[in-house]
Amino acid sequence: MHFTVIKNDVSCSARTGILHLPHGDVKTPVFMPVGTNGTVKALTVEDIKEIGFNLILSNTYHLYLRPGEKIIEQAKGLHSFMNWDRNILTDSGGFQIFSLSALRKITSKGVWFQSHVDGSKHFLTPEKAVSIQVLLNSDIQMQLDYCSHWGASRKEAEKALNITIEWLGRAVNAWEEAAVKDLYNGCLFSIVQGNFFHDLRERSAEVCANSGTPGIAIGGLSVGEPSELFYEMLATTTALLPVNKPRYVMGIGTPEYVLNAIEHGIDMFDCVLLTREARNGRVYTRNGTYSLKKAENASDFSPIDKECGCKVCRSYSRAYLRHLFKTKEILYSMLASYHNLYFINELVINARNAIEEGRFLEYKKNFLSQYKNEDALSGMRSQE
């Protein structure tokens, strides 16, 4: 992987760039739709391409359990398996293991966990996480990390960080060996942890910067903390990272969080929130979010968003979409998910254009002044 910074905004740390990846170039900042199980729920790969995405996220933990990495290896990789000829980033499964705290035991050697699918027991090491992602043929793979929970004590946070640092060294060795042995072209990203302790974050950022990984992710945020603390920790952590490597903040998707991240120089982000909310009746517009299932939409024949140019807003009314939702038609989830992903992609494209023109802060201010902040969701990270 090679990363090129194209333009820095003069008024803040926002920037545009290009990720040169095995399955094509990706312009940054970039939002990645989440396809946990090798699919973005309710959408085809043709839909995702039509919206304009060149990079999606899938999850190693889930694909390891079902259908299993050997099946995907027989299919000649995840790209072929899911008929997607563009780039894929795979999360190592560290966050899923974090969220399944009752079903796992973490040691410095690795993590024992019980499958949420069938109760079977598994042992995942940083080396195994790398090898699985090599079999998936991930364009970007993430190191296995240990995410400590919001409100954790300093002792807990320091223990988790020490394990994450040890795992990083082992992951780098496994990745470099795979690149030589298996002619693997994908790259590895390290992950900054340290909970909400500034000195631990600083230590972690330094280790990641010196690890030699082509990119660096910021983990352990958007896990229940107040938004003000998220903004503060994101800004201070990003400032510690090298400017010549892509920066990825994991698990954010609302306009407020995305625009704040871009302002501080973040290049990549992902979240399931937009597609999950779509399936549950909530859609995003330039005037905020609202619930399509409300009775007031029953006879509203206007589009979801009059300012949106997506095919859903050009062709279908709020009344029709509400009808589909109420009758539990599959088409509803397809159309609402398409719209919400189109919305976030357009927001990021417009942000990139504003950076190129040196007016990002103006764009952010104008967008958020129109967007109904009181209706915005928290952007908390979760999984499909």
Side-chain angles (χ1 to χ4, degrees):
M1 187 205 78
H2 179 64
F3 177 63
T4 305
V5 176
I6 302 297
K7 180 77 173 184
N8 290 286
D9 194 292
V10 296
S11 60
C12 61
S13 298
R15 62 191 193 167
T16 62
I18 298 178
L19 284 165
H20 305 281
L21 294 169
H23 287 85
D25 290 351
V26 177
K27 293 181 179 180
T28 63
V30 60
F31 177 85
M32 297 177 286
V34 177
T36 296
N37 291 302
T39 178
V40 178
K41 286 190 189 306
L43 296 173
T44 66
V45 293
E46 289 76 19
D47 291 328
I48 301 302
K49 290 180 181 179
E50 187 175 89
I51 294 171
F53 293 108
N54 293 321
L55 176 62
I56 64 172
L57 182 148
S58 289
N59 186 265
T60 301
Y61 167 84
H62 289 277
L63 293 171
Y64 165 72
L65 293 178
R66 287 186 300 195
E69 78 272 22
K70 295 300 182 182
I71 295 295
I72 297 177
E73 182 184 20
Q74 292 173 30
K76 299 182 179 179
L78 184 57
H79 297 81
S80 175
F81 188 58
M82 62 181 291
N83 192 33
W84 172 255
D85 59 3
R86 301 184 183 182
N87 295 289
I88 300 174
L89 180 150
T90 49
D91 194 352
S92 67
F95 181 78
Q96 285 65 40
I97 292 169
F98 157 76
S99 64
L100 299 171
S101 58
L103 302 175
R104 49 86 166 163
K105 179 180 179 181
I106 297 175
T107 70
S108 61
K109 293 182 179 179
V111 53
W112 285 101
F113 67 91
Q114 186 176 358
S115 167
H116 71 285
V117 177
D118 59 9
S120 58
K121 292 185 178 181
H122 303 267
F123 186 59
L124 184 63
T125 66
E127 294 87 354
K128 186 171 183 178
V130 167
S131 67
I132 294 170
Q133 292 177 92
V134 168
L135 292 178
L136 298 178
N137 196 28
S138 309
D139 298 279
I140 300 175
Q141 63 166 277
M142 308 303 298
Q143 72 152 116
L144 184 65
D145 63 327
Y146 183 174
C147 178
S148 53
H149 61 89
W150 157 240
S153 68
R154 181 181 176 85
K155 183 178 180 181
E156 292 175 289
E158 197 162 12
K159 176 184 176 182
L161 176 57
N162 288 337
I163 289 176
T164 295
I165 289 173
E166 179 183 341
W167 285 356
L168 172 57
R170 291 162 56 188
V172 168
N173 290 337
W175 166 61
E176 291 176 341
E177 182 179 338
V180 173
K181 179 181 176 182
D182 301 320
L183 300 177
Y184 172 63
N185 294 320
C187 64
L188 174 71
F189 276 29
S190 51
I191 302 177
V192 177
Q193 289 290 351
N195 205 270
F196 296 89
F197 299 93
H198 286 275
D199 61 320
L200 297 184
R201 286 269 167 185
E202 184 174 357
R203 177 187 167 206
S204 183
E206 183 178 3
V207 170
C208 289
N210 293 329
S211 67
T213 60
I216 301 174
I218 299 175
L221 299 183
S222 193
V223 290
E225 76 278 6
S227 58
E228 296 78 10
L229 182 56
F230 169 87
Y231 294 141
E232 175 198 350
M233 194 58 69
L234 175 66
T236 55
T237 304
T238 307
L240 298 169
L241 301 180
V243 297
N244 63 335
K245 293 186 178 184
R247 306 155 174 166
Y248 165 32
V249 63
M250 308 173 77
I252 63 168
T254 61
E256 297 94 332
Y257 274 46
V258 166
L259 291 174
N260 182 274
I262 293 174
E263 179 183 347
H264 289 99
I266 293 297
D267 306 296
M268 306 163 64
F269 23 84
D270 74 279
C271 195
V272 301
L273 187 66
L274 289 101
T275 47
R276 173 178 288 169
E277 289 299 316
R279 298 194 304 275
N280 287 300
R282 184 169 289 272
V283 289
Y284 284 68
T285 77
R286 287 159 180 77
N287 295 311
T289 65
Y290 71 90
S291 175
L292 271 174
K293 56 191 173 185
K294 288 185 177 179
E296 63 194 48
N297 292 304
S299 58
D300 186 342
F301 300 103
S302 62
I304 292 174
D305 186 346
K306 295 178 181 178
E307 298 181 56
C308 178
C310 80
K311 66 181 182 182
V312 178
C313 290
R314 294 197 309 268
S315 304
Y316 302 102
S317 68
R318 297 182 181 189
Y320 180 64
L321 290 166
R322 179 182 184 273
H323 162 69
L324 295 179
F325 180 84
K326 288 294 185 179
T327 54
K328 295 181 170 56
E329 289 290 344
I330 295 172
L331 181 60
Y332 167 77
S333 292
M334 298 168 65
L335 296 176
S337 297
Y338 186 103
H339 167 78
N340 277 1
L341 286 184
Y342 185 96
F343 167 86
I344 195 66
N345 192 51
E346 284 297 297
L347 181 148
V348 174
I349 289 173
N350 291 333
R352 286 203 301 259
N353 292 337
I355 296 169
E356 295 286 344
E357 297 167 6
R359 56 177 184 85
F360 174 76
L361 290 182
E362 176 188 357
Y363 167 73
K364 177 188 173 187
K365 179 181 178 182
N366 291 340
F367 182 93
L368 292 179
S369 68
Q370 181 179 357
Y371 190 80
K372 295 179 180 178
N373 294 308
E374 67 271 15
D375 279 342
L377 301 175
S378 66
M380 302 316 297
R381 180 180 179 181
S382 57
Q383 63 196 47
E384 287 279 21

